[in-house]
Each structure stands twice: as structure tokens, then as C-alpha cells.
Amino acid sequence: MSTISEEQVRASLKQCMDPEIPISIVDLGLIYDIDISEKNDVNIKMTMTTKGCPLHETMVDDVKRYTRKVTGVNNVNVDIVWDPPWSMDKISDEA
């Protein structure tokens, strides 16, 4: 089994756009951590721009779908975290 990297997952997630604004969730700073196990299971910690985000489930589903596009990925788990809170300071210079 080949090992996948955080960079591969992050590159795939750069294709995943926020449903309300045309900026990737990576460039928005919504992805806080990507952890890959020896079995290529991927655990992602991410946040939302607001706690009441109506598209919460859609975004989680999209993150899982784009992560699974990386060859070799097995299980994908997405944890939504609120600490540290998201702010506009987390937006990349590219965005």
C-alpha cells in the first residue's frame, strides 16, 4: 500500500469550494488539521465560518468526497471544531 501525504489531501481539498462564495475551503482557512494513519485513514479537523452554517452537512460531505479522490485513501472522518474560532485572518493571500 502506498502512503498518501497531507499535501495530496490538501491539494484535492483546494478544489472544494465554499458553497456560498467561490473560494476553496483551504484558502478560506477552514481546514485546521489533516492526520493520516498508517492505513491511509484520513482524519480532518475543520471549522465553519459561522456556527449556524446552513450548509454544514453539504460541506462535510464535499470534504469527504474530495479527500476520497486521492488514490489510496481509505476511511475519511471529519470533525468540526470551533476552537480556534474562524476569522477573516485565516484567509490565504491567494484568496
Side-chain angles (χ1 to χ4, degrees):
M1 169 178 12
S2 65
T3 304
I4 60 171
S5 70
E6 179 181 340
E7 291 76 26
Q8 288 173 295
V9 173
R10 195 170 292 277
S12 186
L13 289 175
K14 277 193 78 107
Q15 306 305 309
C16 182
M17 298 295 159
D18 181 277
E20 296 182 321
I21 50 177
I23 299 175
S24 85
I25 61 169
V26 172
D27 288 331
L28 272 176
L30 299 180
I31 302 299
Y32 284 175
D33 186 53
I34 298 170
D35 181 61
I36 303 165
S37 76
E38 291 179 9
K39 296 180 181 181
N40 288 342
D41 294 331
V42 180
N43 292 296
I44 297 172
K45 286 185 183 174
M46 69 175 291
T47 195
M48 303 285 163
T49 55
T50 62
K51 282 194 177 187
C53 178
L55 298 171
H56 170 268
E57 289 301 321
T58 300
M59 289 182 68
V60 169
D61 289 344
D62 285 351
V63 167
K64 288 180 179 181
R65 184 167 47 91
Y66 278 92
T67 301
R68 287 187 184 112
K69 287 185 177 192
V70 177
T71 303
V73 167
N74 287 319
N75 298 311
V76 179
N77 180 57
V78 177
D79 289 321
I80 303 298
V81 297
W82 302 107
D83 189 35
W86 181 85
S87 69
M88 291 188 70
D89 295 341
K90 297 194 181 303
I91 298 175
S92 74
D93 292 339
E94 278 183 32

